[in-house]
Amino acid sequence: MLSYYVVFSPMTLHDGCLLNWIRNFLSGRTHTTRIGNVVSEPLDLCSGSIRGSGIGPLMFIVYINELADVLSEYKVTVLIFADDLKLYAVLATDIDVTNFNSALKCIDEWANTWQLKLSVEKCCIFRLIRNTVLAFLFLLSKRCLIAYHKHC
């Protein structure tokens, strides 16, 4: 879960009524757990959003859009849906492969900066190949991504 400080950091440039409303909405919240008839002491919440409020997904979209902007310099196409990110690129030269690996490294650095854990085990490379298969390794969080190939 993202801490409130982390979520608000990219938004501070847009200070105003909406940001103040979101801060107030999330501030001063507590959580209790109930098991049977026993209720825990309240604990202050410093991360997460209220389930069903709709604000959590909106905040994440605002938050992750920065990554798409940063990745544009690596000549990759970025598609984001909810918390999924897909990169597309034509890898015709060594420079293209280097750019793609740099984009993967950028994702890793961005996630570390913002205290996000990547699910590297869910990541893979899918390559559509017209000619011969060039052997390249693609790394994310210092782990080699599984590559699938389809000749077309």
Side-chain angles (χ1 to χ4, degrees):
M1 250 187 251
L2 298 173
S3 75
Y4 296 150
Y5 171 77
V6 169
V7 171
F8 291 133
S9 290
M11 293 187 215
T12 55
L13 298 174
H14 310 287
D15 205 11
C17 293
L18 179 59
L19 182 56
N20 288 333
W21 182 87
I22 293 170
R23 270 194 200 115
N24 290 335
F25 182 74
L26 295 174
S27 298
R29 301 238 176 227
T30 59
H31 175 78
T32 57
T33 300
R34 179 185 188 142
I35 300 175
N37 291 329
V38 179
V39 179
S40 69
E41 292 294 319
L43 292 174
D44 292 333
L45 291 178
C46 60
S47 66
S49 64
I50 292 81
R51 180 169 286 181
S53 68
I55 199 167
L58 175 63
M59 287 173 48
F60 190 76
I61 289 168
V62 168
Y63 181 74
I64 199 167
N65 276 340
E66 176 200 21
L67 179 58
D69 293 340
V70 170
L71 289 172
S72 65
E73 74 179 76
Y74 298 102
K75 298 182 177 139
V76 296
T77 300
V78 179
L79 294 178
I80 299 171
F81 180 77
D83 63 348
D84 267 355
L85 178 106
K86 291 184 182 1
L87 300 182
Y88 296 88
V90 174
L91 303 179
T93 68
D94 289 344
I95 292 170
D96 296 335
V97 172
T98 299
N99 280 338
F100 197 83
N101 265 319
S102 295
L104 293 173
K105 183 177 179 186
C106 178
I107 291 169
D108 190 43
E109 290 169 353
W110 182 87
N112 286 331
T113 297
W114 297 111
Q115 304 168 12
L116 290 173
K117 181 184 179 296
L118 297 174
S119 298
V120 179
E121 66 280 357
K122 294 181 181 179
C123 300
C124 68
I125 300 292
F126 182 72
R127 295 175 64 190
L128 298 174
I129 301 164
R130 289 190 190 145
N131 301 323
T132 59
V133 176
L134 301 175
F136 295 108
L137 294 178
F138 297 96
L139 302 172
L140 184 60
S141 296
K142 299 178 184 174
R143 291 175 56 187
C144 188
L145 297 178
I146 296 170
Y148 298 97
H149 307 283
K150 172 79 174 157
H151 290 276
C152 51

